[in-house]
Amino acid sequence: RREGVTTVRDQATFRSMKHVAAYMLAVLGGKESPTAADLKTILAAVDAKADDASLDLVIKELSGKDIATVIAEGSTKLVSMGGGGGGGGMA
């Protein structure tokens, strides 16, 4: 169990995010259509285990999409969430 990951849903999200990150790294590294093997190689380089179901889902959802567009679309969704309050200024 990872620190800060408290629920089953949080644990599933944490596991899938590493697969998304590996996909994005592969694309940044020049792979237009990363394969599961490509992502497993990236994850193995940092001693992370790959989950085949998560890999398949990430590849299915991101395959053929422009990563910059996906990030931009996701960023607009984050704006609606607002941010936490920053502490007050120093007196």
Side-chain angles (χ1 to χ4, degrees):
R1 187 175 202 175
R2 304 258 187 208
E3 185 176 324
V5 179
T6 57
T7 67
V8 172
R9 182 172 181 234
D10 289 343
Q11 291 172 9
T13 299
F14 180 80
R15 282 194 302 270
S16 63
M17 288 306 297
K18 70 182 177 186
H19 297 91
V20 172
Y23 188 95
M24 294 175 80
L25 285 169
V27 170
L28 287 171
K31 294 274 186 179
E32 287 186 28
S33 297
T35 65
D38 295 328
L39 304 185
K40 286 180 180 182
T41 298
I42 291 168
L43 292 169
V46 294
D47 201 28
K49 294 184 180 181
D51 174 70
D52 289 331
S54 292
L55 285 176
D56 291 343
L57 179 62
V58 167
I59 291 168
K60 176 184 166 194
E61 292 296 321
L62 294 177
S63 184
K65 294 183 181 177
D66 177 59
I67 293 300
T69 302
V70 171
I71 292 170
E73 289 172 356
S75 294
T76 62
K77 293 176 184 177
L78 288 175
V79 169
S80 67
M81 295 175 64
M90 292 184 65

